[in-house]
Amino acid sequence: MKKTIIVLSLLGNIFIYAQEKTNNQVKEKQIEGVTITQTKKAVEQKADRTIFDFSEQPALNSGSSLEGIKKLPGMVVTDIAGMMYQGKSLQVYMDGRPLNISTNDLTAFLEGMPASSIERIEVVTQPGAEFPATSGGAILNIITSKSAKSYLTATYSGGYRFSDYDKFRNKFNNSIALNSKNKWFGWQFSAGQNYNESFGSNELDDVSKGFNDKYSRSYFAKAATTFELGMDRLLLNYDFFNSNNDSYNTSEGVTLRKNPENLNIPEKTQYLNEGKSKNKNYRNEFTATYQKRFDNKNQKLDFKFNYSNFRNNFDQNAINTYYYLSGNSLGEISDFGNTSTQNAYNMRVDYSQPIKLLEEGKISIGGMYDKLNFRTDFMGIENLDYQRQTASMYTELNTKFKKFSFIAGLRAEDYDISGKSLNLESEKWDDLRAFKKFQLFPNASIQYDIAKLVYFNLNYSRKITLPSTGQLNPNNTTFQNPNVNISGNPNVQPTIFNNFEAKLSAFNYGFISYNVSKVNDQVMMYVEKDGFNITQTNVNISSLTQHSFNIAIPVPLMIFSKPLSEVMKFDFNPDKINFLYFYAGYQFQNIKEITDQKGMWFFNVTGQFLLPKGIKFAPTFSYSTKGNYYFFQSTQPIMNRVNVNLSKKFDGDRLTVSLFADDIFNSSRMNFKTVNTPTPIYLSNRWDSRTFGISVNYKIPTKNKLAKVDQNILNTETPKDDNGGVLNQGQ
């Protein structure tokens, strides 16, 4: 009880301390010839986003990008609802640009990119008017670019993991990053590969059980060049990604099928499905950015052009053996393939300058034109031609008065979405439901600075999410069974969000927030059962209200060994102490079509413990209660895992070696039942989530003896906003 009172006293006195601490803080100055220490923030909580540093955290960068993302407090990744952060659905960006891929393709992309290639991740929970209104609930921005130095730098990252369930499976990755700059230009290049052997098993109600043995190979390369043109700058980017995945599948179940001896009467039949599928992805992206700069560093003019191409090839070959009650059996070959091609074009201009409004202010204006073409074919026959064009303009005003900061923005977007789909049965083309509308998207924010780095924020924004190509694709991109059909829906409509949030933040790492989102036409996976057949597609939910409550707080363990007065001096480096970081989140979705509604709690505890010989022990525990996810209800916790990481630095902190184990108790499962059907349909999925491995990160020594990085888990100051980019050089 005494320790509990001490913890509560500490949290309460944080605000008192913040009010009293003024000019006695040490101000850093850059002095020639003096060693400068740059503070890196592993967790940074800001008014509109949360920033996670991956570069120096072995607990996050040991495996694939997807595995690292899953470990972030507040992040939930499921097959049912995709990625959500603090209850908000996410649109995924890379280096400030939308990836324009989703569902299975996005999963394959993130699984194929090592987490060690990520510099940091920004989760923008309150996208302003400068972001496209299609950002929806929130944005997950993966930053891979690193600052270019005035000398060549190189970093090698590699790792090996394994799992041992029914057999031994290997997983390894290698990557290298190079960058440099001189007086006229800078460049950056990174490349890598990933190999992953894994398994997955699934069960759909009582009609189908499946097992797949998967072998994934992926390769990526990223190149960037920055040309210094006086005060201006030209940036050129090229990204390439390729994956080649083989899956060997076995499934069995029950279906209705006509007996060859009596074609008039369907018969309940057992089947055995054995086969192989191959999935190939290719992604190419080119971006050119021209940055016009002025004498006033707060005045900026940017022009950007972006082109991306994404191709997917999926082939399936299987033998279905049917066993009839009469004792007869029949073998049937299932052999088909489908492809999809996506081309996206984006042009935008952004301008901002300071203005005299109240104490200080800034105005930003800009425009964008976006075009996407998406085509699919089945067995060589084109069956979807989808196109959308978006033209938009925005303006946003920032100002400040005493302890208040204000943001008001308005974005206008005009949509022209149309297309045709081929009905393979009737061999006729049908027009898709067109979406040709002009929409306004306001946003507003008020922030009150209670004290230095302690503030209260109110936000409102109206956003939209356009259907992803994965949700539209009428063809299946996963292995099919004789009685299971999985496909997209070309006629799903965009989703409209009205987001309201109140948030209290302290020292950039602790916060408490409450969010309400009014959602219209939410796109959601829909499962139904007809006899022994199960179909899965996407539909729009007419309306729902989503509530989300989140709280996070770090607790330094020195409060149990030192006087509270000494702890409250905050005269310590958080990277050199033992601490626990607690996160809890609650979300509830109110859908009128659902009578059995239950909210879900999510918990995450991350620890740092300093062991002898400079070894760091970083355990994490994630857990969730049962509850509803749209049309589904979890029958077991969707988050229930313990990860541990032991790391040590060598050779002047240039070499980092980590030993890790993920999901050590083998408790990760995905088990759901439908709550919108007359009789619940049960779905379950498991995979080789328990893995053990080693990772290595080596920074080749440089000639610069003044540059040193000293990472802190807890922040000491708020850095300048950075929405991504390639070579993140100084202004």
Side-chain angles (χ1 to χ4, degrees):
M1 184 64 183
K2 180 179 179 181
K3 294 181 178 180
T4 303
I5 294 174
I6 293 176
V7 173
L8 295 176
S9 299
L10 172 64
L11 300 181
N13 286 330
I14 285 178
F15 297 96
I16 299 174
Y17 162 79
Q19 295 281 9
E20 294 177 350
K21 189 175 182 180
T22 55
N23 297 328
N24 59 337
Q25 292 180 327
V26 178
K27 296 183 179 180
E28 295 183 6
K29 294 183 179 180
Q30 184 172 344
I31 304 174
E32 186 175 355
V34 178
T35 299
I36 303 299
T37 299
Q38 178 187 356
T39 301
K40 298 202 73 175
K41 295 90 179 173
V43 180
E44 182 178 359
Q45 184 63 44
K46 304 184 71 175
D48 67 338
R49 70 192 66 189
T50 303
I51 301 173
F52 300 94
D53 175 64
F54 268 56
S55 63
E56 299 292 336
Q57 294 196 76
L60 295 180
N61 62 29
S62 300
S64 70
S65 296
L66 184 62
E67 291 170 335
I69 290 171
K70 285 182 177 180
K71 296 175 184 177
L72 301 180
M75 188 70 66
V76 179
V77 181
T78 69
D79 295 333
I80 300 297
M83 287 187 185
M84 300 186 76
Y85 180 75
Q86 296 182 7
K88 298 179 179 181
S89 59
L90 292 171
Q91 185 179 20
V92 180
Y93 280 48
M94 180 167 286
D95 294 321
R97 305 181 299 273
L99 278 176
N100 289 318
I101 54 178
S102 60
T103 58
N104 295 328
D105 294 332
L106 178 61
T107 299
F109 179 82
L110 295 176
E111 285 180 337
M113 190 174 74
S116 57
S117 64
I118 297 176
E119 174 73 5
R120 67 185 186 277
I121 282 182
E122 298 180 346
V123 185
V124 185
T125 53
Q126 295 294 334
E130 75 275 14
F131 291 95
T134 51
S135 55
I139 292 173
L140 186 143
N141 189 17
I142 301 171
I143 306 296
T144 62
S145 57
K146 296 177 173 64
S147 299
K149 307 297 183 182
S150 299
Y151 46 86
L152 176 66
T153 64
T155 302
Y156 166 79
S157 299
Y160 172 77
R161 296 171 293 143
F162 70 89
S163 62
D164 189 8
Y165 284 75
D166 57 308
K167 68 177 184 179
F168 198 82
R169 291 180 171 85
N170 300 286
K171 314 162 193 285
F172 60 84
N173 63 272
N174 295 276
S175 65
I176 189 169
L178 308 170
N179 68 67
S180 182
K181 76 170 183 177
N182 56 37
K183 184 178 180 180
W184 299 279
F185 69 92
W187 61 270
Q188 176 181 316
F189 176 78
S190 62
Q193 60 81 222
N194 186 72
Y195 176 79
N196 187 12
E197 298 175 358
S198 61
F199 86 84
S201 64
N202 61 78
E203 185 172 349
L204 301 176
D205 218 50
D206 56 352
V207 300
S208 173
K209 294 181 179 180
F211 181 90
N212 65 79
D213 206 357
K214 189 175 180 180
Y215 298 82
S216 302
R217 297 163 291 272
S218 61
Y219 311 89
F220 75 92
K222 298 173 68 67
T225 304
T226 301
F227 296 93
E228 302 292 341
L229 308 174
M231 294 179 61
D232 302 340
R233 187 182 301 156
L234 175 65
L235 300 91
L236 302 177
N237 300 72
Y238 173 72
D239 293 0
F240 170 78
F241 174 81
N242 166 245
S243 67
N244 183 359
N245 305 327
D246 294 318
S247 182
Y248 297 87
N249 306 273
T250 302
S251 60
E252 58 183 357
V254 182
T255 186
L256 285 179
R257 186 176 174 87
K258 293 181 179 180
N259 193 319
E261 298 179 356
N262 187 350
L263 297 177
N264 296 322
I265 303 176
E267 183 179 315
K268 180 180 177 181
T269 308
Q270 297 281 340
Y271 73 83
L272 176 64
N273 175 276
E274 297 176 295
K276 175 186 176 182
S277 66
K278 177 177 282 289
N279 196 333
K280 292 184 178 181
N281 290 315
Y282 305 87
R283 182 177 185 270
N284 291 272
E285 182 178 48
F286 171 77
T287 303
T289 305
Y290 184 82
Q291 298 177 335
K292 176 68 177 175
R293 294 298 179 256
F294 305 88
D295 292 334
N296 187 334
K297 66 178 182 179
N298 294 318
Q299 185 179 6
K300 300 179 182 180
L301 177 62
D302 293 346
F303 301 90
K304 180 180 289 187
F305 170 79
N306 174 261
Y307 166 74
S308 66
N309 169 267
F310 185 82
R311 291 178 291 140
N312 173 269
N313 299 323
F314 178 81
D315 298 299
Q316 172 175 315
N317 181 272
I319 297 178
N320 300 318
T321 304
Y322 300 93
Y323 301 93
Y324 296 94
L325 295 178
S326 60
N328 296 332
S329 63
L330 176 66
E332 182 180 80
I333 296 177
S334 174
D335 187 6
F336 67 86
N338 59 60
T339 65
S340 65
T341 303
Q342 172 185 298
N343 289 291
Y345 310 83
N346 181 280
M347 294 178 290
R348 63 179 296 169
V349 56
D350 298 278
Y351 174 76
S352 64
Q353 73 167 44
I355 61 173
K356 183 62 178 178
L357 182 63
L358 300 179
E359 293 181 353
E360 60 181 84
K362 183 182 75 170
I363 187 169
S364 302
I365 59 175
M368 183 189 74
Y369 175 77
D370 185 85
K371 182 177 177 63
L372 183 142
N373 295 323
F374 180 62
R375 292 182 173 87
T376 68
D377 71 66
F378 178 79
M379 298 293 288
I381 301 173
E382 184 175 318
N383 60 345
L384 175 65
D385 185 1
Y386 171 90
Q387 55 270 333
R388 71 174 183 235
Q389 301 179 73
T390 306
S392 63
M393 294 185 66
Y394 78 89
T395 181
E396 188 170 74
L397 182 66
N398 292 257
T399 186
K400 186 175 183 180
F401 180 71
K402 295 183 179 180
K403 292 187 176 183
F404 288 93
S405 298
F406 305 92
I407 299 176
L410 181 65
R411 191 173 187 97
E413 299 204 347
D414 185 73
Y415 303 99
D416 185 354
I417 302 176
S418 60
K420 294 182 178 182
S421 64
L422 176 64
N423 188 321
L424 294 176
E425 295 182 359
S426 65
E427 297 183 351
K428 293 182 179 180
W429 284 89
D430 299 322
D431 290 329
L432 303 180
R433 289 177 59 189
F435 186 83
K436 299 183 178 182
K437 292 184 179 181
F438 175 81
Q439 298 273 316
L440 294 175
F441 299 93
N443 68 282
S445 175
I446 301 176
Q447 177 175 305
Y448 176 70
D449 297 333
I450 300 173
K452 184 176 178 62
L453 299 181
V454 180
Y455 53 84
F456 178 72
N457 192 279
L458 294 174
N459 291 286
Y460 165 75
S461 64
R462 185 175 189 265
K463 299 293 181 180
I464 188 173
T465 294
L466 304 179
S468 69
T469 52
Q471 294 167 331
L472 297 166
N473 194 340
N475 305 321
N476 68 289
T477 55
T478 58
F479 196 83
Q480 304 288 287
N481 299 332
N483 60 343
V484 177
N485 181 269
I486 302 174
S487 64
N489 179 3
N491 283 297
V492 290
Q493 295 293 287
T495 305
I496 302 293
F497 297 85
N498 283 282
N499 303 312
F500 306 84
E501 184 179 68
K503 188 174 187 178
L504 177 66
S505 299
F507 297 96
N508 300 320
Y509 49 83
F511 73 93
I512 181 171
S513 67
Y514 177 70
N515 178 277
V516 177
S517 294
K518 301 286 186 179
V519 187
N520 295 321
D521 290 324
Q522 172 70 54
V523 179
M524 188 55 215
M525 189 174 84
Y526 180 81
V527 176
E528 62 180 350
K529 181 180 178 182
D530 182 12
F532 295 103
N533 296 318
I534 290 180
T535 60
Q536 175 185 312
T537 187
N538 298 296
V539 299
N540 288 108
I541 301 176
S542 60
S543 64
L544 65 93
T545 302
Q546 182 162 288
H547 303 265
S548 178
F549 169 78
N550 302 275
I551 184 171
I553 192 72
V555 178
L557 299 187
M558 65 171 62
I559 64 174
F560 300 108
S561 59
K562 293 186 177 182
L564 185 60
S565 58
E566 184 175 343
V567 175
M568 290 308 301
K569 293 179 181 178
F570 283 81
D571 186 20
F572 53 82
N573 183 350
D575 192 38
K576 306 297 183 182
I577 66 170
N578 300 317
F579 73 91
L580 291 172
Y581 187 84
F582 293 92
Y583 166 82
Y586 175 81
Q587 71 177 53
F588 174 75
Q589 295 161 341
N590 186 4
I591 304 174
K592 63 181 180 181
E593 292 88 350
I594 305 301
T595 56
D596 183 16
Q597 302 188 65
K598 296 180 180 178
M600 299 180 69
W601 277 98
F602 299 90
F603 302 97
N604 181 280
V605 182
T606 301
Q608 175 180 277
F609 300 92
L610 306 181
L611 304 181
K613 306 296 183 181
I615 298 174
K616 285 186 181 180
F617 174 54
T620 61
F621 170 64
S622 301
Y623 183 81
S624 68
T625 60
K626 302 176 185 178
N628 285 23
Y629 243 42
Y630 301 106
F631 286 160
F632 303 86
Q633 187 177 102
S634 59
T635 57
Q636 290 186 8
I638 61 175
M639 291 174 56
N640 183 17
R641 58 187 294 161
V642 175
N643 307 319
V644 295
N645 185 290
L646 287 169
S647 64
K648 178 176 172 57
K649 293 186 176 183
F650 302 89
D651 191 21
D653 292 347
R654 297 188 185 99
L655 174 64
T656 302
V657 179
S658 300
L659 300 175
F660 60 90
D662 290 342
D663 191 21
I664 59 177
F665 296 113
N666 193 27
S667 52
S668 292
R669 303 285 190 277
M670 289 287 176
N671 293 290
F672 292 91
K673 68 175 182 179
T674 59
V675 290
N676 64 312
T677 54
T679 303
I681 302 171
Y682 290 85
L683 305 90
S684 64
N685 182 28
R686 65 169 299 192
W687 59 99
D688 52 343
S689 55
R690 181 171 60 187
T691 59
F692 305 88
I694 182 173
S695 69
V696 176
N697 186 286
Y698 181 64
K699 300 176 183 177
I700 296 176
T702 69
K703 295 181 180 180
N704 191 327
K705 302 302 181 181
L706 300 181
K708 182 181 178 183
V709 173
D710 187 13
Q711 180 205 9
N712 278 354
I713 295 296
L714 308 180
N715 299 320
T716 59
E717 61 180 350
T718 303
K720 185 177 180 180
D721 283 352
D722 189 343
N723 293 331
V726 185
L727 300 179
N728 180 22
Q729 302 172 13
Q731 297 296 329

